[in-house]
Amino acid sequence: MNEEQENEILAISSIYPDNFSEIETIIGDEENDDFDCQDNDYEYSKTYQVIITPNISCLDDNETNSNDNNGLVIDTSYDYFIYFKFKFTKEYPSNEPPIISIKATWLQKSDQSILLSHLEDLWNQNESVIFQMVSWLQEESVQILNNHYKSIKKFSHYHLKKSLNVQQLNQNQNQSQNQNQNQNQNQNQNQNQNQNKEKVPTIYTGLSVTEKKSKFQAHLAIVHSEREVQLVLNQLLSFKKIYEATHNMYAYRFQLENGEINEYYNDDGEDGAGDKMLFTLSKNQAKEILVVCTRWFGGILLGGRRYVHIVNTTKDILNLYNTNSLSQCSLEYN
Protein backbone atom coordinates (compact mmCIF):
# COMPACT_ATOMS: atom_id res chain seq x y z
CA MET A 1 0.00 0.00 0.00
CA ASN A 2 1.43 3.35 -1.03
CA GLU A 3 1.40 6.52 1.09
CA GLU A 4 -1.64 8.05 -0.64
CA GLN A 5 -3.65 4.90 -0.02
CA GLU A 6 -2.61 4.79 3.64
CA ASN A 7 -3.62 8.42 4.10
CA GLU A 8 -6.98 7.79 2.49
CA ILE A 9 -7.69 4.85 4.78
CA LEU A 10 -6.79 6.97 7.80
CA ALA A 11 -9.12 9.72 6.63
CA ILE A 12 -12.07 7.41 5.90
CA SER A 13 -11.68 5.55 9.20
CA SER A 14 -11.64 8.88 11.03
CA ILE A 15 -14.68 10.30 9.24
CA TYR A 16 -16.75 7.11 9.55
CA PRO A 17 -15.38 5.46 12.73
CA ASP A 18 -18.55 3.45 13.44
CA ASN A 19 -19.27 2.42 9.87
CA PHE A 20 -15.80 1.66 8.51
CA SER A 21 -14.17 -1.76 8.74
CA GLU A 22 -11.36 -3.78 7.22
CA ILE A 23 -12.19 -7.21 5.87
CA GLU A 24 -9.40 -9.68 5.15
CA THR A 25 -10.43 -12.04 2.39
CA ILE A 26 -8.91 -14.97 0.58
CA ILE A 27 -8.93 -14.90 -3.21
CA GLY A 28 -11.68 -17.25 -4.38
CA ASP A 29 -13.82 -16.93 -1.28
CA GLU A 30 -17.49 -16.02 -1.75
CA GLU A 31 -16.87 -12.77 0.08
CA ASN A 32 -14.45 -11.73 -2.63
CA ASP A 33 -16.91 -12.51 -5.41
CA ASP A 34 -18.30 -8.99 -5.03
CA PHE A 35 -15.36 -7.70 -7.01
CA ASP A 36 -14.77 -10.28 -9.76
CA CYS A 37 -11.11 -9.56 -8.99
CA GLN A 38 -8.30 -10.22 -11.45
CA ASP A 39 -5.38 -9.72 -9.06
CA ASN A 40 -3.83 -13.08 -8.23
CA ASP A 41 -0.48 -11.74 -7.02
CA TYR A 42 -1.45 -12.15 -3.38
CA GLU A 43 -3.18 -14.97 -1.55
CA TYR A 44 -4.71 -12.45 0.85
CA SER A 45 -6.10 -9.08 -0.12
CA LYS A 46 -7.39 -6.29 2.08
CA THR A 47 -10.94 -5.20 1.47
CA TYR A 48 -12.55 -2.23 3.17
CA GLN A 49 -16.22 -1.57 3.81
CA VAL A 50 -18.26 1.50 4.66
CA ILE A 51 -21.88 1.02 5.72
CA ILE A 52 -23.85 3.97 4.38
CA THR A 53 -27.28 5.23 5.40
CA PRO A 54 -28.69 6.77 2.22
CA ASN A 55 -30.65 10.00 2.29
CA ILE A 56 -34.26 9.08 1.49
CA SER A 57 -35.77 12.51 2.12
CA CYS A 58 -36.45 12.81 -1.62
CA LEU A 59 -39.03 10.01 -1.30
CA ASP A 60 -42.45 11.12 -0.16
CA ASP A 61 -44.67 9.03 2.12
CA ASN A 62 -46.13 7.17 -0.85
CA GLU A 63 -42.70 6.04 -1.94
CA THR A 64 -41.66 4.24 1.23
CA ASN A 65 -43.28 0.93 2.11
CA SER A 66 -45.82 1.35 -0.69
CA ASN A 67 -46.41 0.21 -4.24
CA ASP A 68 -48.76 3.01 -5.25
CA ASN A 69 -46.26 5.12 -7.18
CA ASN A 70 -44.03 5.20 -10.22
CA GLY A 71 -40.79 5.87 -8.37
CA LEU A 72 -38.24 4.08 -6.23
CA VAL A 73 -39.63 2.13 -3.28
CA ILE A 74 -37.60 1.40 -0.15
CA ASP A 75 -39.05 -0.60 2.71
CA THR A 76 -37.64 1.28 5.71
CA SER A 77 -38.85 -1.38 8.12
CA TYR A 78 -35.94 -3.51 6.90
CA ASP A 79 -32.21 -2.94 6.63
CA TYR A 80 -31.83 -0.37 3.86
CA PHE A 81 -28.12 0.42 4.35
CA ILE A 82 -25.81 0.53 1.34
CA TYR A 83 -22.79 -1.72 1.83
CA PHE A 84 -19.93 -0.10 -0.08
CA LYS A 85 -16.81 -2.23 -0.43
CA PHE A 86 -13.55 -1.17 -2.01
CA LYS A 87 -9.99 -2.27 -2.48
CA PHE A 88 -6.98 -0.56 -4.00
CA THR A 89 -5.12 -1.54 -7.14
CA LYS A 90 -1.35 -1.14 -7.26
CA GLU A 91 -1.62 1.94 -9.48
CA TYR A 92 -4.37 3.72 -7.52
CA PRO A 93 -4.82 6.68 -7.50
CA SER A 94 -2.19 7.63 -10.07
CA ASN A 95 -3.25 5.49 -13.04
CA GLU A 96 -6.08 3.20 -11.96
CA PRO A 97 -9.41 3.61 -10.13
CA PRO A 98 -10.24 1.57 -7.04
CA ILE A 99 -12.14 -1.71 -7.32
CA ILE A 100 -15.58 -1.25 -5.79
CA SER A 101 -18.88 -3.02 -5.18
CA ILE A 102 -22.22 -1.89 -3.76
CA LYS A 103 -25.00 -3.95 -2.25
CA ALA A 104 -28.29 -3.28 -0.49
CA THR A 105 -31.44 -5.28 0.17
CA TRP A 106 -33.42 -2.92 -2.05
CA LEU A 107 -30.94 -2.70 -4.96
CA GLN A 108 -31.47 -4.85 -7.99
CA LYS A 109 -28.79 -5.50 -10.60
CA SER A 110 -29.89 -2.73 -12.94
CA ASP A 111 -29.86 -0.24 -10.04
CA GLN A 112 -26.31 -1.22 -9.15
CA SER A 113 -25.27 -0.63 -12.75
CA ILE A 114 -26.72 2.88 -12.74
CA LEU A 115 -24.99 3.79 -9.49
CA LEU A 116 -21.66 2.28 -10.57
CA SER A 117 -21.82 4.29 -13.77
CA HIS A 118 -22.13 7.50 -11.75
CA LEU A 119 -19.31 6.45 -9.44
CA GLU A 120 -17.07 5.87 -12.44
CA ASP A 121 -17.46 9.51 -13.41
CA LEU A 122 -16.05 10.64 -10.07
CA TRP A 123 -12.60 9.15 -10.60
CA ASN A 124 -9.78 11.19 -12.14
CA GLN A 125 -6.12 10.26 -12.38
CA ASN A 126 -4.00 11.22 -9.37
CA GLU A 127 -7.06 12.00 -7.24
CA SER A 128 -8.24 10.03 -4.21
CA VAL A 129 -11.92 9.33 -4.69
CA ILE A 130 -13.25 7.06 -1.93
CA PHE A 131 -14.64 9.88 0.23
CA GLN A 132 -16.39 11.38 -2.81
CA MET A 133 -17.93 8.01 -3.62
CA VAL A 134 -19.19 7.47 -0.08
CA SER A 135 -20.63 11.00 0.06
CA TRP A 136 -22.31 10.60 -3.32
CA LEU A 137 -23.90 7.28 -2.35
CA GLN A 138 -25.13 8.82 0.88
CA GLU A 139 -26.62 12.00 -0.57
CA GLU A 140 -27.42 11.35 -4.24
CA SER A 141 -27.96 7.65 -4.95
CA VAL A 142 -31.62 7.41 -3.93
CA GLN A 143 -32.50 10.62 -5.77
CA ILE A 144 -30.82 9.36 -8.95
CA LEU A 145 -32.68 6.04 -8.87
CA ASN A 146 -35.98 7.66 -7.97
CA ASN A 147 -35.69 10.02 -10.93
CA HIS A 148 -34.77 7.08 -13.14
CA TYR A 149 -37.88 5.09 -12.26
CA LYS A 150 -40.12 8.10 -12.59
CA SER A 151 -38.64 8.92 -16.00
CA ILE A 152 -39.48 5.47 -17.32
CA LYS A 153 -42.80 5.50 -15.40
CA LYS A 154 -42.14 2.07 -14.04
CA PHE A 155 -42.75 1.01 -10.47
CA SER A 156 -39.67 -0.52 -8.85
CA HIS A 157 -41.65 -3.41 -7.41
CA TYR A 158 -38.49 -5.41 -6.76
CA HIS A 159 -37.51 -3.07 -3.95
CA LEU A 160 -40.49 -3.69 -1.71
CA LYS A 161 -39.31 -6.56 0.47
CA LYS A 162 -42.17 -8.63 1.85
CA SER A 163 -42.44 -10.76 4.96
CA LEU A 164 -43.30 -14.44 4.77
CA ASN A 165 -46.84 -13.81 6.05
CA VAL A 166 -47.48 -11.23 3.36
CA GLN A 167 -46.14 -13.62 0.73
CA GLN A 168 -48.52 -16.31 1.93
CA LEU A 169 -51.45 -13.90 1.68
CA ASN A 170 -50.34 -12.95 -1.79
CA GLN A 171 -50.29 -16.59 -2.83
CA ASN A 172 -54.00 -16.79 -2.08
CA GLN A 173 -54.60 -13.62 -4.04
CA ASN A 174 -52.51 -14.96 -6.91
CA GLN A 175 -54.70 -18.02 -7.19
CA SER A 176 -57.72 -15.87 -7.95
CA GLN A 177 -55.66 -13.63 -10.20
CA ASN A 178 -54.43 -16.66 -12.16
CA GLN A 179 -58.00 -17.47 -13.09
CA ASN A 180 -58.38 -14.05 -14.67
CA GLN A 181 -54.98 -14.36 -16.29
CA ASN A 182 -55.96 -17.65 -17.89
CA GLN A 183 -58.92 -15.94 -19.47
CA ASN A 184 -56.60 -13.41 -21.03
CA GLN A 185 -54.07 -15.94 -22.27
CA ASN A 186 -55.93 -16.62 -25.48
CA GLN A 187 -56.01 -12.92 -26.28
CA ASN A 188 -52.30 -12.58 -25.53
CA GLN A 189 -51.49 -15.61 -27.67
CA ASN A 190 -53.33 -14.06 -30.59
CA GLN A 191 -51.45 -10.81 -30.10
CA ASN A 192 -48.13 -12.66 -29.93
CA GLN A 193 -48.96 -14.52 -33.13
CA ASN A 194 -49.58 -11.21 -34.87
CA GLN A 195 -46.29 -9.85 -33.57
CA ASN A 196 -44.45 -12.95 -34.70
CA LYS A 197 -45.69 -12.33 -38.22
CA GLU A 198 -43.80 -9.04 -38.29
CA LYS A 199 -40.40 -9.41 -39.87
CA VAL A 200 -37.55 -8.42 -37.58
CA PRO A 201 -34.79 -6.54 -39.43
CA THR A 202 -31.52 -8.46 -39.66
CA ILE A 203 -29.22 -7.83 -36.70
CA TYR A 204 -25.49 -7.63 -37.40
CA THR A 205 -23.14 -8.07 -34.44
CA GLY A 206 -19.59 -6.77 -34.46
CA LEU A 207 -16.49 -8.00 -32.68
CA SER A 208 -16.32 -7.52 -28.93
CA VAL A 209 -13.71 -5.44 -27.10
CA THR A 210 -12.62 -6.25 -23.55
CA GLU A 211 -10.75 -4.15 -21.00
CA LYS A 212 -10.34 -5.20 -17.36
CA LYS A 213 -13.10 -7.77 -17.79
CA SER A 214 -15.60 -5.17 -19.07
CA LYS A 215 -16.82 -6.32 -22.47
CA PHE A 216 -18.31 -4.09 -25.17
CA GLN A 217 -20.09 -5.23 -28.33
CA ALA A 218 -22.10 -3.34 -30.95
CA HIS A 219 -25.13 -4.54 -32.93
CA LEU A 220 -26.51 -2.83 -36.04
CA ALA A 221 -29.83 -3.09 -37.86
CA ILE A 222 -31.24 -1.25 -40.85
CA VAL A 223 -34.51 0.30 -39.73
CA HIS A 224 -37.12 2.64 -41.26
CA SER A 225 -39.59 3.09 -38.40
CA GLU A 226 -39.86 3.14 -34.63
CA ARG A 227 -41.74 -0.13 -34.82
CA GLU A 228 -38.76 -1.79 -36.50
CA VAL A 229 -36.51 -0.33 -33.80
CA GLN A 230 -38.71 -1.93 -31.14
CA LEU A 231 -38.71 -5.26 -32.96
CA VAL A 232 -34.91 -5.28 -33.01
CA LEU A 233 -34.65 -4.36 -29.34
CA ASN A 234 -37.16 -7.05 -28.39
CA GLN A 235 -35.24 -9.59 -30.44
CA LEU A 236 -31.92 -8.76 -28.81
CA LEU A 237 -33.37 -8.76 -25.29
CA SER A 238 -34.95 -12.15 -25.90
CA PHE A 239 -31.42 -13.57 -25.57
CA LYS A 240 -30.43 -14.13 -21.94
CA LYS A 241 -26.85 -13.03 -22.59
CA ILE A 242 -28.02 -9.62 -23.83
CA TYR A 243 -30.86 -9.24 -21.35
CA GLU A 244 -28.52 -9.81 -18.38
CA ALA A 245 -25.86 -7.38 -19.65
CA THR A 246 -25.13 -4.35 -17.48
CA HIS A 247 -26.13 -1.83 -20.16
CA ASN A 248 -27.75 -1.95 -23.60
CA MET A 249 -27.51 1.67 -24.77
CA TYR A 250 -28.69 2.52 -28.25
CA ALA A 251 -29.15 5.27 -30.79
CA TYR A 252 -30.96 5.43 -34.11
CA ARG A 253 -31.53 7.72 -37.07
CA PHE A 254 -33.88 7.12 -39.97
CA GLN A 255 -35.41 9.33 -42.62
CA LEU A 256 -39.17 9.98 -42.67
CA GLU A 257 -41.24 10.19 -45.83
CA ASN A 258 -41.18 13.99 -45.65
CA GLY A 259 -37.38 13.96 -45.63
CA GLU A 260 -36.98 14.82 -41.96
CA ILE A 261 -34.68 12.74 -39.76
CA ASN A 262 -36.15 10.92 -36.75
CA GLU A 263 -33.42 10.35 -34.19
CA TYR A 264 -33.27 9.19 -30.59
CA TYR A 265 -30.91 7.67 -28.02
CA ASN A 266 -31.18 5.80 -24.72
CA ASP A 267 -28.34 5.54 -22.18
CA ASP A 268 -29.78 2.53 -20.34
CA GLY A 269 -28.08 3.71 -17.16
CA GLU A 270 -24.70 4.52 -18.76
CA ASP A 271 -24.95 8.31 -18.54
CA GLY A 272 -23.73 10.13 -21.63
CA ALA A 273 -23.25 7.01 -23.75
CA GLY A 274 -26.33 7.29 -25.96
CA ASP A 275 -25.63 10.92 -26.81
CA LYS A 276 -22.14 10.01 -27.98
CA MET A 277 -23.51 7.16 -30.06
CA LEU A 278 -26.10 9.42 -31.71
CA PHE A 279 -23.42 12.00 -32.47
CA THR A 280 -21.40 9.25 -34.16
CA LEU A 281 -24.42 8.25 -36.26
CA SER A 282 -25.06 11.87 -37.22
CA LYS A 283 -21.42 12.45 -38.12
CA ASN A 284 -21.60 9.43 -40.42
CA GLN A 285 -24.87 10.78 -41.93
CA ALA A 286 -26.71 7.57 -41.04
CA LYS A 287 -30.31 7.64 -42.30
CA GLU A 288 -31.54 4.09 -41.68
CA ILE A 289 -29.48 2.81 -38.79
CA LEU A 290 -30.00 1.54 -35.25
CA VAL A 291 -26.90 0.71 -33.21
CA VAL A 292 -27.08 -1.02 -29.84
CA CYS A 293 -23.94 -1.20 -27.71
CA THR A 294 -23.96 -3.90 -25.06
CA ARG A 295 -21.68 -3.66 -22.05
CA TRP A 296 -20.98 -6.38 -19.51
CA PHE A 297 -19.38 -4.69 -16.47
CA GLY A 298 -16.31 -6.56 -15.23
CA GLY A 299 -16.17 -5.23 -11.70
CA ILE A 300 -13.35 -2.73 -12.25
CA LEU A 301 -14.09 0.93 -12.97
CA LEU A 302 -12.87 2.20 -16.34
CA GLY A 303 -13.69 5.88 -15.95
CA GLY A 304 -13.77 7.70 -19.28
CA ARG A 305 -12.24 4.72 -21.05
CA ARG A 306 -15.68 3.14 -21.26
CA TYR A 307 -16.84 5.90 -23.60
CA VAL A 308 -13.88 5.25 -25.88
CA HIS A 309 -14.96 1.63 -26.30
CA ILE A 310 -18.63 2.54 -26.77
CA VAL A 311 -17.83 5.07 -29.49
CA ASN A 312 -15.20 2.90 -31.17
CA THR A 313 -17.41 -0.20 -31.38
CA THR A 314 -20.17 2.02 -32.81
CA LYS A 315 -17.74 3.47 -35.37
CA ASP A 316 -16.41 0.06 -36.32
CA ILE A 317 -19.78 -1.45 -37.11
CA LEU A 318 -20.83 1.72 -38.98
CA ASN A 319 -17.70 1.44 -41.09
CA LEU A 320 -18.68 -2.12 -42.02
CA TYR A 321 -22.10 -0.82 -43.07
CA ASN A 322 -20.64 2.08 -45.07
CA THR A 323 -18.22 -0.23 -46.90
CA ASN A 324 -20.85 -2.90 -47.61
CA SER A 325 -18.96 -5.30 -45.36
CA LEU A 326 -21.70 -6.35 -42.94
CA SER A 327 -21.17 -9.91 -44.16
CA GLN A 328 -18.17 -9.95 -41.79
CA CYS A 329 -20.53 -9.60 -38.82
CA SER A 330 -22.07 -12.33 -36.74
CA LEU A 331 -25.77 -13.12 -37.16
CA GLU A 332 -26.05 -14.97 -33.83
CA TYR A 333 -28.91 -12.83 -32.48
CA ASN A 334 -31.35 -13.35 -35.36
Side-chain angles (χ1 to χ4, degrees):
M1 182 180 294
N2 61 44
E3 183 177 356
E4 289 177 296
Q5 294 173 0
E6 290 178 351
N7 290 338
E8 188 164 23
I9 291 300
L10 286 173
I12 296 298
S13 61
S14 299
I15 298 170
Y16 306 101
D18 298 327
N19 299 322
F20 173 82
S21 61
E22 178 183 324
I23 306 169
E24 191 172 76
T25 59
I26 302 175
I27 300 295
D29 273 7
E30 291 182 1
E31 184 74 27
N32 200 58
D33 288 343
D34 292 345
F35 295 105
D36 193 17
C37 183
Q38 285 181 299
D39 190 355
N40 295 318
D41 291 342
Y42 303 99
E43 181 180 2
Y44 291 88
S45 178
K46 288 184 178 179
T47 298
Y48 304 96
Q49 176 176 270
V50 181
I51 301 176
I52 302 167
T53 302
N55 182 355
I56 60 172
S57 61
C58 61
L59 305 180
D60 59 36
D61 292 338
N62 291 328
E63 293 169 332
T64 55
N65 312 317
S66 171
N67 61 358
D68 297 327
N69 74 95
N70 287 323
L72 177 67
V73 172
I74 296 179
D75 190 344
T76 55
S77 64
Y78 292 86
D79 167 14
Y80 67 97
F81 298 124
I82 296 176
Y83 294 85
F84 173 67
K85 293 182 181 180
F86 66 93
K87 62 188 299 181
F88 297 130
T89 60
K90 293 179 181 179
E91 299 296 323
Y92 172 83
S94 58
N95 295 313
E96 293 180 341
I99 302 172
I100 66 173
S101 76
I102 49 177
K103 285 189 175 181
T105 58
W106 49 273
L107 281 176
Q108 59 181 321
K109 186 176 180 180
S110 60
D111 299 335
Q112 292 174 321
S113 301
I114 293 171
L115 297 184
L116 287 170
S117 178
H118 281 273
L119 292 176
E120 280 187 305
D121 290 332
L122 297 178
W123 179 74
N124 293 303
Q125 284 185 317
N126 298 311
E127 292 184 10
S128 298
V129 74
I130 297 300
F131 175 72
Q132 288 179 268
M133 289 182 169
V134 173
S135 299
W136 188 89
L137 287 170
Q138 184 174 6
E139 298 299 330
E140 305 291 339
S141 58
V142 171
Q143 180 71 70
I144 289 293
L145 291 177
N146 192 43
N147 291 343
H148 167 71
Y149 279 100
K150 285 187 174 181
S151 68
I152 61 175
K153 296 181 180 179
K154 180 180 179 181
F155 166 56
S156 58
H157 61 277
Y158 180 93
H159 304 93
L160 192 58
K161 188 174 181 179
K162 299 175 181 177
S163 67
L164 180 60
N165 290 335
V166 173
Q167 290 177 348
Q168 290 174 342
L169 288 173
N170 285 344
Q171 287 178 357
N172 295 332
Q173 294 176 352
N174 288 337
Q175 290 178 355
S176 61
Q177 290 176 353
N178 287 337
Q179 294 178 353
N180 295 330
Q181 289 175 353
N182 290 334
Q183 295 176 357
N184 295 328
Q185 279 183 350
N186 292 332
Q187 295 178 354
N188 291 335
Q189 288 176 355
N190 293 333
Q191 291 176 354
N192 290 333
Q193 289 175 356
N194 292 332
Q195 291 178 353
N196 291 334
K197 292 179 182 178
E198 296 181 273
K199 184 178 180 180
V200 180
T202 301
I203 301 171
Y204 303 91
T205 298
L207 296 175
S208 62
V209 175
T210 302
E211 179 177 347
K212 295 181 179 178
K213 288 192 174 182
S214 275
K215 181 179 176 182
F216 302 81
Q217 191 168 39
H219 321 274
L220 180 147
I222 299 172
V223 297
H224 303 94
S225 67
E226 292 182 1
R227 180 57 188 161
E228 288 187 339
V229 169
Q230 193 59 54
L231 288 171
V232 172
L233 295 176
N234 290 345
Q235 175 71 11
L236 282 171
L237 293 174
S238 69
F239 289 86
K240 183 179 180 181
K241 181 179 178 181
I242 302 294
Y243 180 80
E244 293 184 347
T246 313
H247 305 286
N248 284 293
M249 46 279 203
Y250 64 88
Y252 65 77
R253 295 182 89 241
F254 61 83
Q255 190 169 16
L256 302 174
E257 292 182 358
N258 61 8
E260 294 182 358
I261 297 295
N262 186 356
E263 59 183 28
Y264 179 78
Y265 69 85
N266 187 307
D267 292 329
D268 193 29
E270 187 74 284
D271 282 357
D275 185 34
K276 293 174 175 60
M277 293 175 66
L278 183 58
F279 177 79
T280 304
L281 293 184
S282 179
K283 189 175 180 180
N284 282 267
Q285 299 182 339
K287 295 183 179 180
E288 55 177 9
I289 297 298
L290 161 69
V291 174
V292 180
C293 184
T294 301
R295 180 191 181 184
W296 294 268
F297 181 61
I300 300 175
L301 301 183
L302 299 182
R305 287 287 301 168
R306 68 193 191 276
Y307 296 120
V308 174
H309 296 308
I310 291 167
V311 171
N312 283 345
T313 53
T314 300
K315 281 183 180 178
D316 289 344
I317 203 163
L318 276 175
N319 287 337
L320 292 176
Y321 166 78
N322 290 330
T323 58
N324 296 316
S325 302
L326 287 176
S327 58
Q328 299 178 22
C329 294
S330 167
L331 301 177
E332 60 183 304
Y333 296 114
N334 288 282

